[in-house]
Amino acid sequence: MDAFDDDNPFENDMERVPSETSSTSKVNISAPSSPPPNTAQLLAPSKPYPTAATQRQPQQSYKSDFCCYRDRWLHSGEDAEILITDAQKTSLNSNTPYITYVIHTGTAEARHRYSEFESLRLNFVKLYPTLIIPPIPSKQTIGDYATRQAKAKEDAAMISRRKRMLQTFLNRVARHPILSNEHVFHRFLEGEVSWTEVLNSPPLSMLPKNILKAPSHNPTDPNASPAYAVLPNPTATHPLRNPDQRFIDSEVFTSKFANHLSGPMEKVTRRTLKRWSETAQDYSELGAALNGFSLNESGSLATAMEKTGQAVDTSYMSTTRLLQELEQNFSEPLHEYTQFAIIIRKLLAYRHQKNVQYEMTQDALEGKREMLEEYEKSEREAKRLEEALARGRTNGLTNSRSEGQSSENPDEPASVYLPPHPGPSPYKKRAPGMGFLNALSYTLHGMMDVDPEIARRNGIGKTRETISQLEDALHLTAQDLKYSSSTIQADLDRFQRQKVADLREMSINMARSHRDWCKKNLEAWQAAKKEIEKIPEHPNSMPSPQHAQAAGPSTIRRDSTATINGR
């Protein structure tokens, strides 16, 4: 595997030069941008967000107007922490039992099941398609249901893990500079109304079916332009003509980051935790064996054996504690960042689709303009033909009279007649001298039963109307692309600062856990060593170096048989 280079494009580089091939750098919109002007300001100064593994920092309050009491509490500037205190089994309003999580936000209490947390996050993704929405713990796998069957949802370890990660999710949202202001989140924490009622009320009830055909800054805008309805719906794999190099670098780094976390890091972490668990189990069995063995001895040996067994038991308990801390403060945040990488991929895919929308709208507009030009060219040709036909009809009588004269004067060139344009009525009086061509035109016109002139002019009108819609759509896609690029880049910069702080805390917590484990084991084994040293030495043991030097060299050769027999 290639070395994992930390060439992170999410880092905010003030000297970065915009790519010349960037489509957004070529957009020149005279009208003001559609996003709110304070969005980037809200994202830019955000501090790293604490998790369950980080030190919590009080959130400074920048707001003066609050939508509800819960909003005021979240932005009070104090150490406002959301807690999930319990997970209870209930069957309220359901035919089957389920687990509900008790949420405490200051003095308020709310109860929500896992599916409601999942619904909250999915609606956040639709409401804010340009923000990194924190992940929630993943669902149970099919293997878990197959092995545990009906008990899969009641697994104590899984419920404890969900409690911790759902609490982390709520606190990440609460410390987000934009998501924390969403009243939907406040109602979720209040618990005064059912989640079904929240889903069926604005703004969630106003969400469009396809967020690509809605404004990026406000998908629920009721006054959105109808031009959004004509926007194309590209796939995430559609190629770009002029990609933005910044986001290409972001996609490459995100893939490397995700592959590194989900590959070597998680694999080694799982293997390490598994071996620590096996070691703890071995310590448990060894401690029980030593304690039982000490009962068969007496004196200082029994005391030393018992103390050794107690030291092994201490190693078992400290290893179990170490295993729990590694699981909570390292393994779970590591898996969370694997989910973050997937979320960022989807976020960049949304921005990619918006860029494709802009280019496809450009192509459609250019195609319609070329079609209009062809129509207008045909219209000019038709007018010129009509003028020629008019001149031919006025000169028709003169030309017919000159036919006899032209037969007498063969050297004189004959007049040129142009066929008339077919009119709407096949019974129109024909000019003399145009019988064959007019008859052919009227016959074809009768077979088609369509007036080409009317069809052409209708096509010109419809094309001009489509061009007007596409011009509006191009303006909207340019604004959406500009807003999406700036907001996503700002949130990626915020995420990078959060990631650095979290990984630092994860490393510090791992080191602290190992230090505490070593301290507890050292104390226990030092106490065991003192008891072991009280055991009298073996009578046939070799003298210490100090005693040997004091006694001088021995001239008596020791008999090995005497050593074996203990003499």
Side-chain angles (χ1 to χ4, degrees):
M1 180 178 176
D2 299 336
F4 181 71
D5 301 326
D6 193 13
D7 49 347
N8 190 353
F10 295 169
E11 196 97 40
N12 190 10
D13 189 359
M14 299 303 293
E15 299 179 356
R16 181 182 293 274
V17 178
S19 172
E20 294 180 359
T21 60
S22 171
S23 60
T24 56
S25 63
K26 298 181 181 180
V27 177
N28 185 12
I29 303 301
S30 58
S33 179
S34 58
N38 59 346
T39 302
Q41 297 176 0
L42 287 172
L43 287 171
S46 83
K47 298 183 179 180
Y49 302 144
T51 64
T54 61
Q55 296 178 354
R56 298 182 181 88
Q57 301 175 357
Q59 184 181 8
Q60 297 181 3
S61 177
Y62 298 98
K63 294 182 63 175
S64 58
D65 54 334
F66 305 97
C67 64
C68 61
Y69 176 78
R70 202 55 45 209
D71 187 21
R72 183 183 297 275
W73 182 84
L74 289 173
H75 297 88
S76 60
E78 302 174 357
D79 189 7
E81 183 185 5
I82 302 173
L83 299 175
I84 297 183
T85 57
D86 197 7
Q88 300 175 353
K89 184 178 179 181
T90 182
S91 57
L92 183 65
N93 300 326
S94 177
N95 296 327
T96 58
Y98 58 90
I99 302 297
T100 182
Y101 298 91
V102 182
I103 306 169
H104 282 275
T105 311
T107 58
E109 178 180 300
R111 298 171 182 266
H112 292 286
R113 55 191 302 179
Y114 174 82
S115 60
E116 294 173 348
F117 281 92
E118 186 180 25
S119 175
L120 173 66
R121 190 191 175 279
L122 290 176
N123 282 284
F124 267 150
V125 171
K126 295 178 181 179
L127 281 172
Y128 301 95
T130 59
L131 297 182
I132 302 174
I133 309 300
I136 61 173
S138 54
K139 291 183 177 181
Q140 288 288 331
T141 62
I142 298 177
D144 294 332
Y145 282 104
T147 54
R148 301 187 183 95
Q149 294 182 359
K151 298 296 181 180
K153 294 183 179 181
E154 303 175 14
D155 182 50
M158 183 271 295
I159 293 175
S160 299
R161 177 175 174 273
R162 277 189 174 178
K163 277 177 57 180
R164 293 190 297 268
M165 297 194 72
L166 290 175
Q167 178 175 309
T168 300
F169 163 74
L170 293 177
N171 282 287
R172 285 195 186 277
V173 174
R175 289 170 173 84
H176 196 283
I178 295 178
L179 298 179
S180 59
N181 299 317
E182 178 56 54
H183 189 56
V184 172
F185 179 58
H186 305 155
R187 299 181 73 185
F188 186 87
L189 298 177
E190 287 287 351
E192 296 179 354
V193 295
S194 66
W195 181 243
T196 304
E197 182 178 344
V198 177
L199 290 175
N200 294 325
S201 59
L204 300 186
S205 61
M206 301 171 62
L207 282 171
K209 294 182 179 179
N210 189 350
I211 58 174
L212 289 174
K213 294 190 175 185
S216 296
H217 67 284
N218 186 10
T220 60
D221 185 5
N223 300 320
S225 172
Y228 278 106
V230 302
L231 292 180
N233 189 22
T235 62
T237 58
H238 195 285
L240 281 172
R241 289 196 311 270
N242 299 312
D244 192 328
Q245 190 61 39
R246 294 177 303 165
F247 294 99
I248 292 179
D249 296 340
S250 298
E251 291 174 3
V252 171
F253 178 81
T254 302
S255 298
K256 291 171 62 178
F257 182 68
N259 293 335
H260 191 73
L261 287 185
S262 61
M265 286 289 290
E266 281 202 331
K267 190 178 298 183
V268 172
T269 302
R270 285 195 301 267
R271 188 165 64 243
T272 302
L273 294 178
K274 179 182 178 183
R275 290 177 178 174
W276 275 116
S277 178
E278 294 173 349
T279 302
Q281 185 64 31
D282 292 341
Y283 277 139
S284 175
E285 295 177 3
L286 179 59
L290 289 173
N291 290 328
F293 187 45
S294 66
L295 299 176
N296 297 327
E297 299 295 334
S298 60
S300 58
L301 179 60
T303 305
M305 294 293 291
E306 182 181 5
K307 205 67 177 178
T308 303
Q310 292 176 359
V312 173
D313 289 339
T314 301
S315 297
Y316 159 70
M317 291 185 292
S318 62
T319 303
T320 302
R321 178 62 180 170
L322 173 66
L323 190 64
Q324 294 174 352
E325 291 178 353
L326 291 179
E327 177 73 22
Q328 297 178 18
N329 299 333
F330 191 83
S331 178
E332 289 177 6
L334 196 67
H335 178 69
E336 184 186 21
Y337 270 94
T338 304
Q339 294 177 293
F340 265 122
I342 298 173
I343 292 169
I344 293 175
R345 278 180 176 175
K346 294 180 179 179
L347 193 69
L348 294 174
Y350 172 81
R351 191 254 166 211
H352 177 91
Q353 289 173 293
K354 278 295 180 181
N355 200 346
V356 172
Q357 260 188 350
Y358 175 74
E359 292 187 350
M360 293 178 70
T361 306
Q362 271 186 328
D363 295 341
L365 181 58
E366 291 174 2
K368 290 297 180 182
R369 283 173 176 170
E370 291 176 359
M371 182 183 297
L372 179 61
E373 186 177 350
E374 291 293 331
Y375 273 131
E376 291 177 344
K377 183 179 179 181
S378 300
E379 182 70 14
R380 289 193 297 269
E381 291 292 335
K383 287 182 178 180
R384 189 165 56 250
L385 185 60
E386 286 289 346
E387 291 174 358
L389 288 174
R391 289 195 300 269
R393 292 190 184 98
T394 56
N395 297 329
L397 184 59
T398 305
N399 292 333
S400 61
R401 292 177 179 176
S402 63
E403 286 180 358
Q405 298 177 1
S406 62
S407 61
E408 296 176 359
N409 301 323
D411 296 335
E412 186 178 347
S415 298
V416 179
Y417 297 98
L418 294 175
H421 189 275
S425 174
Y427 303 104
K428 186 175 180 181
K429 184 176 181 180
R430 294 172 291 178
M434 306 295 291
F436 174 74
L437 292 177
N438 280 338
L440 181 60
S441 299
Y442 293 144
T443 303
L444 292 176
H445 176 68
M447 294 173 60
M448 295 170 58
D449 198 23
V450 174
D451 188 347
E453 184 177 357
I454 296 177
R456 183 176 63 252
R457 290 178 179 174
N458 289 339
I460 291 175
K462 291 180 180 178
T463 305
R464 286 176 176 170
E465 182 180 354
T466 304
I467 288 175
S468 177
Q469 291 179 348
L470 288 175
E471 286 175 346
D472 293 341
L474 183 65
H475 179 80
L476 294 174
T477 53
Q479 283 191 324
D480 281 355
L481 181 58
K482 183 179 179 180
Y483 172 79
S484 299
S485 299
S486 61
T487 309
I488 290 174
Q489 186 62 55
D491 213 28
L492 288 176
D493 294 337
R494 179 200 59 80
F495 171 78
Q496 169 63 13
R497 297 190 296 271
Q498 167 194 309
K499 187 195 73 174
V500 171
D502 285 350
L503 291 179
R504 176 181 179 274
E505 283 298 325
M506 288 164 59
S507 301
I508 291 175
N509 285 331
M510 175 180 277
R512 185 182 292 115
S513 297
H514 280 88
R515 181 200 63 187
D516 296 342
W517 178 82
C518 292
K519 280 184 176 180
K520 291 178 181 178
N521 287 331
L522 181 61
E523 293 172 358
W525 285 103
Q526 284 177 341
K529 180 183 177 182
K530 291 179 181 179
E531 293 297 331
I532 293 173
E533 289 175 347
K534 294 179 182 179
I535 300 176
E537 296 183 355
H538 194 279
N540 295 331
S541 62
M542 294 294 292
S544 62
Q546 293 81 4
H547 292 128
Q549 291 178 1
S554 176
T555 58
I556 302 175
R557 185 174 180 179
R558 186 175 182 82
D559 187 3
S560 60
T561 306
T563 301
I564 295 174
N565 294 332
R567 298 193 301 273

